[in-house]
Amino acid sequence: MNRLVLARKAFRDSRVTAIGGGILSFALALMYVLLFPSIRESFEEMDLPEYMESFAGAAGSYSTPAGYLATEFFSAVPITLIIFAIVAGTAATAGEESAGTIDLLLAQPIRRWRIIVEKALGIAAAVSVALLAGLPGIFLGQRFVDFDIGPLRLVAAMLATLPLLFLFAALAMLLGAALPTRAMAVAVATAGAVLAYVVHTLGILVDELSEVRKLTPFYWSDASKALIGDFEVWRSLVLLAVAAGLVALAAVAFERRDIAGGREGGWWKQFRRRRKGREHAPVEAAG
């Protein structure tokens, strides 16, 4: 099989993520930039509550371009694109199985672990296109309004956010390979993303949770620092390492998955068999 053909296939299969997410990212970026002058006029002479200022992170005031983008774009857009990434990630394994194309894929002369790795690369490319589409939206908005923030800092902020999307896409791939159905994998991954986001947000507002939020991937993906020229590469490397570890676990789970057993294969099928055995045991004993 040609090199990276599965990566290209995964990218094509994730076109909804790339195109739909890209349009969303571009439109929101453009809208936020065009709205900034009116937002700044409304808030520059107002003492904002401390909790609103804290959402800007290292970027400082909400009334500055950096603080405004950190609070609005880099808060709303990533959590939305995470959903796209989860859908694409589960499609890589459980999606092929539910569509009935997994047997054709496995019939090719290629190892299962390579299927996971190449599909991970294709999905990573799709979510990258979706997020980076926000850059031309910002640049276009800057042509019409005064929005003074350099392109290098914008690119750095995007690069600081990408590993967050990679991580949840990798988690979705793992769950898609380990859980019996795609619907279950999507539900668990989405619940995990929402829980992590809630904990991170509450950790900003509640002092008692300030340490707990450091365990969430949203804490490590801090675009506000990059927007002020303080791009901490090590934070991105931590997220990339976790994402790579999840992809490796997904490869192991996919290697062990009982495709021939249908959707309820592997450990899930064994669990159900043991459970049914325990349920019928008292009846048989009584008989």
Side-chain angles (χ1 to χ4, degrees), residues 5-51:
V5 65
L6 290 178
R8 296 195 297 270
K9 179 182 183 299
F11 183 81
R12 291 194 302 270
D13 292 343
S14 304
R15 57 186 176 274
V16 173
T17 296
I19 299 174
I23 292 174
L24 176 69
S25 182
F26 174 86
L28 289 179
L30 177 60
M31 181 190 73
Y32 286 137
V33 173
L34 294 179
L35 288 177
F36 178 69
S38 60
I39 295 294
R40 180 174 54 188
E41 292 176 2
S42 301
F43 288 100
E44 63 183 0
E45 296 182 358
M46 181 186 304
D47 292 331
L48 294 177
E50 184 178 351
Y51 76 90

Side-chain angles (χ1 to χ4, degrees), residues 84-118:
F84 283 89
I86 288 174
V87 172
T90 56
T93 50
E96 294 272 11
E97 192 171 349
S98 62
T101 58
I102 190 69
D103 290 333
L104 179 62
L105 180 62
L106 295 180
Q108 304 301 317
I110 184 172
R111 296 290 299 274
R112 288 193 182 190
W113 66 264
R114 182 180 163 189
I115 293 175
I116 295 296
V117 172
E118 289 202 22

Side-chain angles (χ1 to χ4, degrees), residues 17 37 47 60 71 91 124 153 176 180 185-186 194 205 216 235 240 261 263 283:
T17 296
D47 292 331
T71 306
R153 294 186 179 186
V186 170
V194 171
L205 305 175
T216 69
R235 286 176 173 264
L240 288 174
R263 292 184 181 183
V283 177

Side-chain angles (χ1 to χ4, degrees), residues 178-232:
L179 296 180
T181 66
R182 184 183 182 185
M184 184 180 294
V186 170
V188 173
T190 302
V194 171
L195 178 61
Y197 184 75
V198 169
V199 171
H200 171 72
T201 303
L202 290 178
I204 297 176
L205 305 175
V206 182
D207 291 339
E208 288 76 8
L209 295 177
S210 60
E211 294 298 318
V212 178
R213 82 182 183 96
K214 294 180 180 179
L215 301 176
T216 69
F218 292 95
Y219 169 80
W220 295 90
S221 175
D222 191 354
S224 67
K225 290 181 176 293
L227 288 170
I228 61 172
D230 185 20
F231 182 24
E232 297 180 337

Side-chain angles (χ1 to χ4, degrees), residues 259-279:
I259 302 298
R263 292 184 181 183
E264 294 184 357
W267 67 270
W268 181 259
K269 191 172 184 179
Q270 296 174 10
F271 170 77
R272 287 177 63 86
R273 284 176 176 173
R274 288 197 297 267
R275 183 178 179 182
K276 289 181 179 179
R278 288 195 298 268
E279 290 176 351

